[in-house]
């Protein structure tokens, strides 16, 4: 991988006000145009000066993994129907808070520890491990891109990814602050403004994980994984044939942030807008407004090396005040108190 520098980098210090440096460029890709804004914004709150960072790598060697898993049960490939149960507390009512259903101490009695993520004795590794284990599960953002010259095809999974809007369909993917070269996917997004987002199902996870290997520059993850390319309509990158759901997308905005620790590259957030959907026909309902969970079989990222699968679900309808207020003594008392104050 070639060494790349992020376009905008600014130091964040306790005495410096927020700074924003934006450059806009219009890029045409067939029928898909986008306005790309590359910005670096310092946080509005004062932060301590950057400190030298211990060399942090998200991927750590694992010894004797085959031995570790040898005594574990085999993965269940039966594709048994996903159970639908009652919710955890079906008799819950307004004002109940969290009602305990076990012999464990109440959550209101638990003690919390305050942590300053920027403390001098707090490492990047500690923050990383805490965040990925505490914010879970997370969907896998599996992106396919091509280089500016169209010669190099890239396929890579991302932990910091999410759909954020449906009208228009919008997604966000984040590239972490790190040592070494900028990720090929990020460079390709900056250069071309195009990608395909591919969903990840249980049967794909080994291949998807393999695409994150630090292969020599010039090798394609398509060849490494054995996944198959499928045609697209509005962007140049291929979609993954094995994915149940793929989304062609273009870059709308890129924001780059200066690192807190010296020696680290800046982080970046990329905002993507969908231009086309591809849905596996036997996985959706008649009007393609819903994908069956039994067919999608999604994988969620957890802490460390762990992933999770969906084996059980429950439903909870969203409520409306106009319907719930007349039935709830708590809600009526709250409204009465609000009216008394006015």
């Amino acid at each position: 991988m070639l060494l790349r520098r992020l376009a905008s980098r600014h130091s964040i210090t306790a005495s410096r006000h927020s700074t924003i440096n934006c450059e806009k460029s219009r890029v045409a890709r067939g029928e898909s145009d986008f306005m790309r804004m590359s910005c670096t914004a310092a946080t509005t709150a004062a932060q301590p000066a950057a400190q030298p960072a211990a060399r942090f790598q998200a991927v750590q060697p694992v010894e004797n993994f085959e031995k570790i898993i040898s005594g574990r049960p085999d993965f269940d490939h039966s594709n048994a129907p996903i159970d639908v149960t009652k919710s955890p507390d079906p008799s819950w009512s307004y004002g109940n808070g969290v009602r305990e259903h076990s012999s464990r101490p109440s959550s209101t009695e638990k003690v919390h520890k305050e942590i300053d993520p920027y403390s001098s004795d707090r490492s990047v590794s500690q923050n990383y491990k805490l965040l990925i284990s505490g914010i879970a599960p997370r969907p896998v953002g599996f992106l396919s891109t091509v280089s500016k010259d169209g010669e190099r095809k890239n396929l890579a999974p991302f932990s910091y990814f999410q759909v954020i809007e449906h009208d228009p369909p919008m997604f966000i993917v984040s590239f972490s602050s790190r040592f070494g070269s900028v990720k090929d996917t990020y460079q390709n997004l900056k250069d071309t403004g195009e990608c395909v987002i591919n969903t990840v199902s249980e049967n794909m996870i080994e291949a998807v994980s393999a695409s994150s290997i630090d292969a020599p520059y010039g090798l394609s993850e398509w060849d490494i994984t054995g996944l198959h390319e499928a045609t697209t309509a509005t962007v140049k990158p291929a979609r993954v044939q094995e994915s149940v759901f793929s989304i062609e997308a273009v870059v709308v905005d890129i924001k780059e942030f200066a690192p807190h620790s010296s020696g680290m590259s800046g982080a970046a957030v990329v905002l993507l807008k969908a231009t086309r959907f591809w849905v596996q026909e036997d996985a959706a309902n008649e009007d393609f407004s819903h994908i069956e969970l039994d067919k999608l079989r999604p994988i969620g990222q957890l802490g460390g090396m762990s992933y999770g699968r969906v084996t059980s679900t429950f439903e909870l309808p969203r409520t409306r005040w106009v319907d719930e207020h007349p039935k709830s003594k708590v809600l009526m008392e709250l409204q009465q108190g609000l009216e008394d104050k006015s």
Side-chain angles (χ1 to χ4, degrees), residues 35-311:
M35 183 68 73
R36 184 174 66 196
M37 181 185 296
S38 181
C39 308
T40 298
T43 178
T44 54
Q47 298 289 353
Q51 299 295 325
R55 193 169 184 83
F56 164 70
Q57 296 290 341
V59 180
Q60 299 293 332
V62 179
E63 297 181 358
N64 300 319
F65 185 65
E66 290 78 9
K67 182 178 180 180
I68 293 172
I69 66 172
S70 62
R72 296 175 180 174
D74 291 336
F75 189 91
D76 181 3
H77 289 281
S78 66
N79 284 331
I82 295 173
D83 291 335
V84 181
T85 70
K86 297 177 181 178
S87 66
D89 190 357
S91 62
W92 186 94
S93 61
Y94 296 101
N96 277 168
V98 177
R99 300 195 297 183
E100 305 297 335
H101 294 270
S102 70
S103 58
R104 295 179 300 177
S106 169
S107 56
T108 58
E109 299 173 358
K110 300 288 186 179
V111 177
H112 291 73
K113 179 178 177 59
E114 178 184 359
I115 299 171
D116 178 1
Y118 306 106
S119 173
S120 60
D121 62 352
R122 183 78 180 175
S123 70
V124 174
S125 177
Q126 286 174 301
N127 288 340
Y128 168 75
K129 292 176 180 178
L130 179 67
L131 289 171
I132 65 169
S133 61
I135 309 300
R138 302 179 308 282
V140 182
F142 195 31
L143 271 61
S144 49
T145 59
V146 296
S147 60
K148 186 176 182 180
D149 59 12
E151 295 296 321
R152 293 177 297 279
K153 301 174 182 178
N154 186 260
L155 195 59
F158 293 91
S159 176
Y160 301 153
F161 162 82
Q162 189 55 269
V163 56
I164 59 171
E165 179 54 76
H166 62 274
D167 187 23
M170 302 288 288
F171 303 81
I172 197 165
V173 61
S174 174
F175 297 83
S176 302
S177 177
R178 54 181 269 162
F179 284 100
S181 57
V182 171
K183 282 184 173 291
D184 288 347
T185 298
Y186 179 52
Q187 190 63 52
N188 292 344
L189 286 172
K190 291 181 70 174
D191 291 342
T192 70
E194 297 181 343
C195 72
V196 180
I197 302 164
N198 305 278
T199 58
V200 177
S201 299
E202 294 174 357
N203 61 339
M204 299 171 57
I205 190 59
E206 280 86 3
V208 172
S209 179
S211 71
S212 66
I213 193 172
D214 54 342
Y217 181 74
L219 290 184
S220 171
E221 289 82 10
W222 291 96
D223 295 329
I224 292 171
T225 63
L227 293 171
H228 296 84
E229 298 182 48
T231 58
T232 50
T234 65
V235 299
K236 289 183 178 179
R239 58 188 170 88
V240 177
Q241 175 65 35
E242 289 84 351
S243 291
V244 172
F245 185 28
S246 294
I247 302 104
E248 299 178 25
V250 295
V251 173
V252 173
D253 197 5
I254 297 177
K255 292 186 181 293
E256 295 176 334
F257 301 90
H260 168 70
S261 302
S262 62
M264 300 284 285
S265 68
V269 174
V270 179
L271 187 64
L272 301 165
K273 178 181 177 181
T275 58
R276 197 68 91 243
F277 296 150
W278 294 85
V279 183
Q280 186 176 300
E281 289 187 358
D282 67 351
N285 61 355
E286 186 175 354
D287 70 350
F288 288 89
S289 63
H290 179 78
I291 295 176
E292 298 296 334
L293 191 59
D294 283 339
K295 297 294 181 64
L296 183 62
R297 299 280 173 173
I299 284 288
Q301 293 191 95
L302 309 173
M305 302 181 296
S306 297
Y307 293 85
R309 64 190 305 200
V310 179
T311 58

